[in-house]
Amino acid sequence: MSKLKIAVQKSGRLNEESLDLLKNCGISIDNGKDQLKAEARNFPMEVLYLRNGDIPQYLRDGVVDIAILGENTLIEKGSDLPIVERLGFSKCKVSIAVPKNAEYNSIKDLRGKKIATSYPNTVNQFFEKKGEKADIHVINGSVEIAPNIGLSHAIVDIVSSGSTLFKNNLKEVEVLFKSEAVLTSAPELTEEKQAILDKLLFRMKSVLKGKNSKYVLLNAPNDRLDKIVNLLPGMKSPTVLPLAQEGWSSVHSVINKNDFWEVIDELKANGAEGILVCPIEKMVL
C-alpha cells in the first residue's frame, strides 16, 4: 500500500505545532532523536523533517507529496503550489521595518534605500505592484541587525510579537501580508495518495473546527427562548430541552470562539442563566 509522504519543518515552533496537529488527528509517529524520517504506526504516512525553504522544491520533484509550512515560505518559493488547507497556527506578518528615528510616510521613502531581506521575490512583487523598484540585499539569518551595522536602511522580515524589532530599535511601517501555517501538496498525486490525503483532510478539518469552537449549555426562560435560539445557530440548530422548573428550558449549542464574548453578553442581556462553556476536542461534520 502507498504511503503519503509529508514534509514538516526540521525544528522550531512550526515543527512542534505540525506534529501536535498530526497527533490530534490520531496519527502516532515514531520519532527518534535527530531522525530525518519517521513512519506513522497507525496511518499510511511517512514524515520527513526538512528545512522550510527546501520544501517547495521537494514537492515539485515528487520527493514528498504534501507539506505543512509557513505561507510566507510558500509565497516566496512555492507560489505555483496550491494551498490545500489553512491551519490557523504559526501566525505572523511579513513586514517592512525601519530604524525608530527614521521618517516614513509611504513606500516612496525607500527609493534609493537598501532593503535587507530573505524574501527577495516577495519584496520585488510588492514593490512592483506599488510602481516602485526595490534595492535588495539578500540575507539568510538575522535580518534585523542589518540597519544597525549599516548594511541596509530597512528590512523586510516576519514579525510575530514585534519584540525582536523593538530590541533592535526598529519600527514596523508596512505590512506586506499576513501569514499562517498551511497544508500544500505536490502538483500531481496518484489516485491512491489522493485518497489518503482526503482521509487526512477530513481529520484535520474536524480538529481545526473543534479548536475554533466552544460548546455552550445554558438555561433560558421560555418567553425569551426565540431570541436566545436566534443568537445560537450551532451546527444546524440548537438543542432545546425542557427543565424540571416550569417556564424554563435548557439550550445546548456551539459558537465560534472568535465571537464568544459578544454572544455571551447578548445571551445574558436576553435572560440566559447558568451558562456553561466547554472546549471541543473535535467536530465531525
Side-chain angles (χ1 to χ4, degrees):
M1 182 180 178
S2 291
K3 290 190 176 182
L4 195 67
K5 293 180 180 179
I6 181 171
V8 300
Q9 186 172 286
K10 206 170 180 181
S11 59
R13 180 179 152 206
L14 185 53
N15 166 277
E16 294 168 5
E17 291 183 303
S18 299
L19 293 179
D20 279 347
L21 175 59
L22 294 177
K23 182 180 177 182
N24 288 330
C25 288
I27 299 171
S28 301
I29 299 164
D30 291 318
N31 271 339
K33 189 178 180 183
D34 300 325
Q35 225 176 333
L36 296 180
K37 188 170 81 167
E39 289 196 9
R41 292 196 298 271
N42 57 352
F43 195 81
M45 175 184 283
E46 282 184 351
V47 182
L48 282 76
Y49 302 97
L50 304 171
R51 276 191 352 110
N52 218 27
D54 295 336
I55 291 175
Q57 191 57 50
Y58 282 125
L59 285 162
R60 293 189 194 96
D61 293 342
V63 175
V64 293
D65 303 309
I66 61 171
I68 296 175
L69 75 166
E71 187 178 2
N72 53 300
T73 303
L74 195 65
I75 289 172
E76 174 64 23
K77 296 190 173 184
S79 57
D80 56 316
L81 299 170
I83 292 177
V84 177
E85 186 69 31
R86 293 185 174 276
L87 303 177
F89 56 81
S90 292
K91 291 186 177 182
C92 63
K93 297 174 285 184
V94 175
S95 302
I96 300 174
V98 299
K100 283 182 181 176
N101 58 3
E103 185 177 342
Y104 184 91
N105 297 302
S106 74
I107 202 81
K108 294 178 181 178
D109 292 331
L110 295 177
R111 285 176 181 170
K113 304 286 179 70
K114 194 169 285 295
I115 301 167
T117 187
S118 52
Y119 297 94
N121 296 329
T122 301
V123 175
N124 278 326
Q125 288 168 16
F126 181 79
F127 272 71
E128 284 172 12
K129 285 179 182 176
K130 299 287 185 179
E132 300 290 336
K133 184 173 174 59
D135 184 4
I136 295 173
H137 186 92
V138 179
I139 294 179
N140 293 313
S142 301
V143 175
E144 62 276 353
I145 198 173
N148 291 329
I149 60 176
L151 196 60
S152 72
H153 301 92
I155 68 167
V156 174
D157 201 11
I158 57 172
V159 177
S160 295
S161 65
S163 61
T164 302
L165 294 183
F166 180 80
K167 289 174 186 175
N168 286 277
N169 292 311
L170 300 173
K171 61 182 179 182
E172 182 184 62
V173 293
E174 198 95 38
V175 177
L176 276 64
F177 61 86
K178 294 181 180 179
S179 172
E180 63 182 286
V182 296
L183 181 72
T184 184
S185 76
E188 292 184 11
L189 293 178
T190 66
E191 190 174 328
E192 194 173 4
K193 288 189 175 183
Q194 183 62 52
I196 300 169
L197 175 55
D198 290 342
K199 286 183 181 180
L200 177 64
L201 274 172
F202 173 76
R203 296 188 186 193
M204 281 187 172
K205 288 177 179 179
S206 297
V207 170
L208 295 172
K209 187 69 177 174
K211 188 177 179 182
N212 292 321
S213 304
K214 299 286 185 183
Y215 189 68
V216 179
L217 304 86
L218 58 88
N219 297 329
N222 288 344
D223 59 354
R224 300 281 188 90
L225 197 53
D226 287 344
K227 288 184 178 180
I228 288 173
V229 164
N230 286 334
L231 293 171
L232 296 167
M235 288 179 280
K236 285 192 176 177
S237 66
T239 300
V240 179
L241 301 169
L243 288 179
Q245 184 176 340
E246 192 175 341
W248 285 80
S249 295
S250 174
V251 181
H252 301 211
S253 191
V254 173
I255 59 175
N256 188 295
K257 74 172 186 179
N258 295 324
D259 304 326
F260 174 75
W261 286 113
E262 290 78 7
V263 173
I264 294 298
D265 287 341
E266 289 191 64
L267 290 171
K268 285 181 63 64
N270 280 282
E273 295 182 4
I275 302 172
L276 300 179
V277 182
C278 307
I280 298 173
E281 186 175 322
K282 296 174 183 70
M283 279 179 66
V284 180
L285 301 177

